[in-house]
Amino acid sequence: MANSKFDGLMGSEILKIKAAVLEVMEGVGFNSQEEVGLKESSADDTWSMVFPKKSIELKELKDVNNKLGRNFTIKLEAHSKEVFDIILEAPKDEFKKLLGEKKHNTSPEPAPIFPAESSGGGLQ
């Protein structure tokens, strides 16, 4: 699932980014069971996610922006007569920040090897 357009992120990292954004969106009442994708935007080095929702309040949009950060832009577009598309767009580095400290840690550190005690000790 690693894709060059996502800077070599592993599939699990892409899913973690999507999950972090979904968690914020669920906090404002987004409860869709549909797959929400992360995609490149038309602007260079920018990614976006689109969430359909029947109604949205300004307070909810401010909450989303406060939780994700001011570098996330929120746009509204008509999806249909009843549904809006909430489009979250930000520089790709802002999305990557949602991974936290474990970002790009693709090779696990080896487990330490401790020498066995000579006293023949084991679990007691």
Side-chain angles (χ1 to χ4, degrees):
M1 189 171 181
N3 193 326
S4 62
K5 72 179 181 178
F6 291 116
D7 292 340
L9 291 176
M10 297 185 67
S12 61
E13 292 173 315
I14 294 169
L15 290 173
K16 286 176 186 174
I17 291 171
K18 290 164 62 173
V21 175
L22 274 170
E23 187 174 334
V24 170
M25 294 303 291
E26 288 170 349
V28 298
F30 174 80
N31 294 319
S32 177
Q33 300 300 317
E34 295 178 28
E35 172 69 22
V36 177
L38 179 65
K39 63 180 185 176
E40 287 185 313
S41 297
S42 56
D44 287 339
D45 296 328
T46 304
W47 295 345
S48 66
M49 292 179 76
V50 179
F51 299 87
K53 193 165 187 300
K54 286 190 177 186
S55 66
I56 189 83
E57 295 180 17
L58 182 57
K59 181 189 180 318
E60 294 170 331
L61 294 175
K62 286 182 179 181
D63 287 347
V64 167
N65 201 238
N66 287 335
K67 290 178 182 177
L68 290 176
R70 297 285 177 201
N71 291 324
F72 279 81
T73 302
I74 301 173
K75 299 176 186 177
L76 296 176
E77 291 183 3
H79 180 85
S80 67
K81 288 183 180 181
E82 299 87 22
V83 178
F84 291 101
D85 278 341
I86 302 166
I87 303 166
L88 299 178
E89 191 172 77
K92 63 184 175 184
D93 291 336
E94 292 299 315
F95 278 97
K96 289 179 187 178
K97 285 180 185 178
L98 298 173
L99 289 172
E101 295 299 315
K102 295 185 179 180
K103 178 174 60 174
H104 297 297
N105 186 13
T106 57
S107 58
E109 293 183 25
I113 300 173
F114 298 104
E117 292 184 26
S118 60
S119 62
L123 295 178
Q124 297 180 8

